[in-house]
Amino acid sequence: MQTDNVIEVKTLVTYYGDRVIIKNATVSIPRAQTTVIVGGSGSGKTTILRHLIGLLKPHSGEILINGVDITRLSEEMLNNERKKMGVLFQGAALLNSLTLAENVALPLREHTKLKDSVIGIMVRMKLDLVGLSGFDNFYPSQLSGGMKKRAGIARAMAMDPEILFFDEPSAGLDPVTAAGLDDLINKLNKVFKITVIVVTHELPSIFKIADYVIMLDMGDIVFAGTLEEFKESEIPKVQAFLKRTPGEETQSQDDYFKIIAG
């Protein structure tokens, strides 16, 4: 039975070495909405994202996706769950030796037994969806940064996922291109009813795409609620983030980030 929450994170704890990175995190992510995970550098937001995708195993705790605790799955079972997910990494992570069509087709060739003719149709549909119709035979090196991100989204959508993850989608983009990407994220959520989870620190993007906001600070979840509740929150950490005012924790955050970044 489906609930209103697609993901339930329960008492999650993560260590890098002997340092606690995620501190007993418990939070829910609503179904068919866009949830934005925010926080400063070293806050733990990318670590949380890696856990949700199954790329990292926590020290303890549970991550329930549609009621299934992915922290306890075998690699084969976890891979089956990942087929229901799409991911856009920061740099789009396209294979430079493949054309856009070949990049988008890759998940379909790896995980389905569809005929080449059917895969070709699906690839063209996905590229058209992200505004790249006609760019099938272009290579990633021939594209702008924004076009690479759109191509990455087309590949993430190849398997018609239930959940779509974005890691800093606006990173490295100019404001106009970033705004166009925000519009595309909204389209995917509203038209296809996909659950979208975005890690970002860009305030314009947060205000434009978020239905729900989760904020981390030094591994703690300091806020979880709707966008309007986030804007109106009187929590000092939230206020500092919204007003872009550095607090006393700035230096410790910088040191913390250096440690986890290696």
Side-chain angles (χ1 to χ4, degrees):
M1 179 179 178
Q2 288 190 337
T3 66
D4 290 337
N5 296 319
V6 67
I7 298 176
E8 298 277 357
V9 177
K10 299 182 179 181
T11 59
L12 195 72
V13 177
T14 299
Y15 290 87
Y16 283 171
D18 59 355
R19 183 173 293 272
V20 182
I21 303 301
I22 303 296
K23 305 173 183 177
N24 208 36
T26 296
V27 72
S28 300
I29 295 178
R31 187 182 304 279
Q33 295 187 36
T34 297
T35 294
V36 174
I37 302 174
V38 304
S41 296
S43 61
K45 57 187 187 295
T46 297
T47 299
I48 283 278
L49 183 71
R50 289 172 179 168
H51 281 311
L52 298 180
I53 300 169
L55 295 178
L56 283 179
K57 290 275 189 182
H59 178 78
S60 61
E62 300 178 340
I63 301 172
L64 305 177
I65 299 182
N66 289 319
V68 176
D69 184 1
I70 66 169
T71 68
R72 300 180 183 276
L73 296 180
S74 66
E75 192 64 26
E76 182 180 356
M77 295 175 70
L78 180 57
N79 284 334
N80 285 331
E81 290 300 315
R82 286 200 188 110
K83 292 175 186 178
K84 305 171 188 176
M85 307 174 186
V87 184
L88 175 69
F89 296 100
Q90 276 195 42
L94 299 172
L95 298 178
N96 291 324
S97 60
L98 302 181
T99 65
L100 290 198
E102 290 169 338
N103 267 283
V104 177
L106 194 58
L108 296 169
R109 296 194 189 282
E110 288 290 322
H111 301 300
T112 74
K113 296 181 180 179
L114 295 172
K115 295 180 179 179
D116 286 348
S117 58
V118 176
I119 289 176
I121 292 170
M122 293 182 70
V123 167
R124 288 191 292 273
M125 289 174 62
K126 302 307 181 185
L127 288 173
D128 182 62
L129 175 66
V130 301
L132 290 177
S133 180
F135 287 86
D136 310 45
N137 296 317
F138 280 62
Y139 287 88
S141 61
Q142 297 174 297
L143 304 179
S144 67
M147 294 172 77
K148 289 179 183 177
K149 293 287 181 77
R150 288 175 176 269
I153 294 173
R155 186 179 60 187
M157 288 290 295
M159 298 281 290
D160 295 322
E162 299 174 13
I163 308 172
L164 203 51
F165 295 93
F166 294 84
D167 187 10
E168 299 282 5
S170 300
L173 301 181
D174 64 84
V176 174
T177 302
L181 202 61
D182 290 338
D183 289 336
L184 178 57
I185 292 172
N186 280 334
K187 175 183 175 181
L188 296 175
N189 171 244
K190 306 308 178 190
V191 174
F192 298 99
K193 305 300 181 186
I194 297 174
T195 300
V196 178
I197 299 168
V198 182
V199 166
T200 186
H201 61 273
E202 300 287 346
L203 287 178
S205 290
I206 294 167
F207 294 153
K208 191 169 186 178
I209 67 176
D211 297 306
Y212 198 79
V213 180
I214 297 169
M215 181 174 178
L216 287 95
D217 181 78
M218 301 294 286
D220 289 316
I221 294 177
V222 296
F223 176 88
T226 66
L227 177 61
E228 290 307 313
E229 290 169 341
F230 185 64
K231 290 178 180 179
E232 297 171 3
S233 174
E234 296 182 1
I235 297 172
K237 299 285 187 182
V238 175
Q239 285 293 310
F241 182 83
L242 290 173
K243 295 177 181 178
R244 298 182 178 182
T245 54
E248 296 178 357
E249 74 282 359
T250 300
Q251 183 60 47
S252 62
Q253 280 185 335
D254 289 343
D255 294 341
Y256 182 81
F257 179 63
K258 290 175 184 176
I259 290 170
I260 68 169

